[in-house]
Amino acid sequence: MSTEPLTKPAVERKRKKNVINRLVENPLIGKVSYETYRDKVRDVYDGPQGALLATASLLSLHLAFGERLFRKRRFELTGVKKILDVGSGAGQIAKHLLKYADRDAQITCCDLSVEMLRRSRVRLKSNRPKYSAADVTRLPFADNSFDCVTCGYVLEHLPDARLGLSELARVLVPGGRLLLLTTEDSFGGAWTSRVWYCRTYSRHEILDTCRQVGLDVHRELWFSRMHKLLRAGGICLDLRKRA
Ligand SMILES: C[S@@+](CC[C@H](N)C(=O)[O-])C[C@H]1O[C@@H](n2cnc3c(N)ncnc32)[C@H](O)[C@@H]1O
């Protein structure tokens, strides 16, 4: 899949739009060390804001649109046997994995926030997933240990996507599938960043970084026509680890 280079007027338009978005975006991630920032993120998700995450996902239609990706098999789970959901939050993606993955597929949920893992366990009401507290930049799993990884809205909590993407690629088997969702540098994305203390990414940046760490884009996914038109739901990619 190729990404078209931007024409000169498109670059100009993007620059102007980016000035407004940058004013709205939360600046914290660029101002402190990664360790200090990560502690802040952990506190946010451990605390009352994290307790509202599942409701926020429901209201923003993230749950409904996310389910559609699996129900309509736009991201295919049939045949995968070991799935890792990174930054599992309140179990928003894991809920779909439990419903649509093969019955004998092992599911592991991992998150920086122990409190989010607890909330996910309560919400999913299933003893099937394993839970692990971990940072996406240092996953406690061996190389090539999962044939599918899902990672929804986590990379925006990193100063550089490469730190997370290289780890996701490392734990995937060659040919393994990755469903990646992350916040785009749109106006809506800038507001998301303000609320959740995260950053945003340009599509070009994410696509380039994926290729650099050995993740090839199988398909760019869209939740709906409106999503594609307004860039409202962020970047959503179906990737494969280069064999
Ligand atoms: C916006 S929620 C996304 C939840 C879910 N994946 C979804 O798609 O709705 C982000 C989650 O990522 C977790 N997180 C943030 N930074 C992380 C990091 N460095 N490593 C692992 N998890 C992280 C947060 O604790 C939170 O539960």
Side-chain angles (χ1 to χ4, degrees):
M1 213 201 76
S2 72
T3 319
E4 290 296 313
L6 294 177
T7 60
K8 224 175 164 193
V11 169
E12 263 316 302
R13 272 201 308 278
K14 199 162 172 49
R15 203 172 283 147
K16 275 191 200 145
K17 202 170 89 183
N18 282 348
V19 172
I20 302 173
N21 293 352
R22 267 206 303 274
L23 287 174
V24 176
E25 246 189 75
N26 197 313
L28 182 68
I29 201 164
K31 288 193 166 168
V32 294
S33 72
Y34 175 56
E35 288 71 24
T36 307
Y37 170 75
R38 187 182 48 194
D39 290 348
K40 170 71 182 171
V41 168
R42 191 188 282 117
D43 288 349
V44 167
Y45 283 98
D46 273 347
Q49 206 170 322
L52 293 173
L53 183 62
T55 310
S57 297
L58 189 71
L59 296 178
S60 66
L61 300 181
H62 164 49
L63 279 181
F65 282 134
E67 175 162 15
R68 193 194 279 183
L69 290 180
F70 297 106
R71 193 182 60 239
K72 297 205 162 188
R73 298 187 164 200
R74 285 160 65 206
F75 186 78
E76 184 58 75
L77 290 171
T78 309
V80 297
K81 295 299 170 212
K82 283 191 82 183
I83 310 174
L84 173 66
D85 183 30
V86 180
S88 48
Q92 293 99 314
I93 293 180
K95 189 167 186 220
H96 309 319
L97 297 177
L98 284 168
K99 193 164 169 188
Y100 294 102
D102 294 352
R103 280 176 170 267
D104 59 347
Q106 287 175 27
I107 299 169
T108 304
C109 295
C110 98
D111 201 287
L112 185 64
S113 156
V114 172
E115 193 52 30
M116 284 315 304
L117 290 172
R118 187 195 63 75
R119 291 182 187 122
S120 170
R121 203 179 278 123
V122 170
R123 191 166 160 269
L124 294 175
K125 295 186 189 74
S126 164
N127 55 14
R128 218 175 125 195
K130 290 183 196 152
Y131 292 91
S132 170
D135 181 342
V136 63
T137 67
R138 293 177 66 182
L139 293 172
F141 307 108
D143 297 358
N144 310 326
S145 43
F146 296 92
D147 52 2
C148 176
V149 173
T150 56
C151 182
Y153 306 108
V154 184
L155 292 188
E156 47 273 71
H157 297 292
L158 300 179
D160 179 352
R162 186 189 301 259
L163 296 169
L165 284 171
S166 54
E167 270 298 89
L168 301 179
R170 180 184 68 75
V171 301
L172 264 178
V173 296
R177 304 164 196 181
L178 167 62
L179 176 66
L180 180 74
L181 297 102
T182 193
T183 303
E184 190 164 10
D185 58 354
S186 60
F187 189 58
W191 278 106
T192 301
S193 134
R194 171 94 6 213
V195 175
W196 293 100
Y197 298 86
C198 59
R199 56 165 294 179
T200 65
Y201 289 104
S202 82
R203 226 162 251 272
H204 276 70
E205 182 181 357
I206 284 292
L207 291 169
D208 281 353
T209 314
C210 284
R211 288 190 197 101
Q212 284 163 21
V213 302
L215 293 167
D216 291 326
V217 181
H218 182 61
R219 273 205 293 180
E220 227 171 322
L221 298 168
W222 304 97
F223 295 124
S224 64
R225 281 203 196 122
M226 285 304 269
H227 173 199
K228 191 166 185 177
L229 199 69
L230 303 175
R231 298 286 197 259
I235 301 165
C236 182
L237 300 172
D238 177 352
L239 300 143
R240 301 282 186 276
K241 179 171 168 178
R242 210 166 293 145

